[in-house]
Amino acid sequence: DLKALVTFEGHTAVVNDVAWHRHHAHMFGSVGDDKTVLLWDSRADPKTPTHTAKNAHKEYINCIDFNPHAEYLLATGSADNTAALWDIRSLAAKLHSFDNHAAEILQLSWSPFNEGILATGAADRRINIWDIARIGREQEPEDAEDGPPELLFIHGGHTSKISDFSWNENDEWVLASVAEDNILQVWSMAEHIYEEGDEEGGEGAKKKQKVDDGDLE
């Protein structure tokens, strides 16, 4: 029988996801139904996490991912319909809350190419693409109706809740996604969507874009 090298104990309810840090070989994080984010050191006491964020979300936490470019950033996704941005040096409070999904977030993943780009997939059948560089930007009222300034793009091509998705690590803006509608889709954003805001800057930088089934590139 295959036995675990070490068993880490710290959660008080179902553990939903785990992820290794992309820069520190001995660091990993876990999240669960206890609404807690735990960071661990594989060399340390397996019953004592190095960092703890209790009540990190209002509901159970489904997913966690460390930023592959910025060593101190991680993101979590929750059944409270939000994703949260954290600095691992201090988990006392989240840096930001990404709020636009209409149902629980089931998966999230940082872009392998762009430091500030985060994707979230949810039970509302949507995959949202976020740009943390746009947090706090001024918006025209008509743009604000479509979501916060950091919401870059909404993929609405599925007809059932998102099961999983993956960034293409060889093609910068290409993703594949699967859902409970028995469909796998490969898609990307049009170039003007992710370049428009960078060219125009803050106020009125962009209008939210959404792609529905049939509009895939």
Side-chain angles (χ1 to χ4, degrees):
D1 293 340
L2 182 63
K3 296 182 179 180
L5 296 174
V6 186
T7 299
F8 292 81
E9 300 179 14
H11 286 283
T12 59
V14 174
V15 183
N16 291 320
D17 199 17
V18 62
W20 286 97
H21 197 280
R22 310 294 183 90
H23 298 275
H24 302 293
H26 300 286
M27 179 183 290
F28 62 98
S30 58
V31 295
D33 283 3
D34 56 5
K35 310 175 190 176
T36 300
V37 179
L38 298 181
L39 302 187
W40 305 88
D41 187 327
S42 61
R43 304 163 296 182
D45 181 356
K47 294 186 178 181
T48 306
T50 58
H51 298 80
T52 300
K54 294 184 177 180
N55 295 313
H57 284 268
K58 295 179 180 179
E59 298 291 342
Y60 48 82
I61 308 174
N62 292 321
C63 43
I64 180 173
D65 194 32
F66 289 94
N67 190 301
H69 309 282
E71 65 175 309
Y72 298 121
L73 294 183
L74 70 85
T76 54
S78 171
D80 65 8
N81 306 351
T82 71
L85 181 67
W86 304 88
D87 185 327
I88 65 174
R89 293 168 295 185
S90 176
L91 297 182
K94 63 189 71 173
L95 296 176
H96 185 70
S97 182
F98 302 94
D99 188 359
N100 184 260
H101 282 290
E104 64 177 309
I105 294 176
L106 302 171
Q107 300 286 347
L108 55 72
S109 179
W110 291 99
S111 166
F113 290 95
N114 299 281
E115 177 177 332
I117 302 297
L118 175 70
T120 55
D124 62 0
R125 303 172 285 121
R126 301 290 188 254
I127 295 176
N128 287 357
I129 308 295
W130 310 85
D131 183 353
I132 66 175
R134 302 182 183 195
I135 293 173
R137 282 189 177 181
E138 294 183 10
Q139 290 180 291
E140 295 291 341
E142 62 179 17
D143 290 335
E145 292 178 0
D146 295 327
E150 64 271 19
L151 180 58
L152 180 64
F153 180 78
I154 301 171
H155 175 66
H158 287 284
T159 59
S160 188
K161 71 179 183 179
I162 306 299
S163 301
D164 199 8
F165 67 87
S166 178
W167 291 92
N168 186 327
E169 297 193 4
N170 298 290
D171 198 339
E172 186 172 5
W173 291 98
V174 174
L175 296 93
S177 55
V178 292
E180 292 187 2
D181 54 11
N182 305 338
I183 298 296
L184 184 156
Q185 296 178 345
V186 177
W187 52 277
S188 67
M189 292 174 285
E191 186 175 340
H192 74 274
I193 296 173
Y194 50 83
E195 288 191 345
E196 182 178 1
D198 295 333
E199 293 173 355
E200 296 183 11
E203 185 174 356
K206 70 180 190 309
K207 180 176 287 243
K208 302 297 181 303
Q209 302 288 334
K210 182 170 81 171
V211 62
D212 291 308
D213 195 17
D215 297 329
L216 305 181
E217 293 195 339

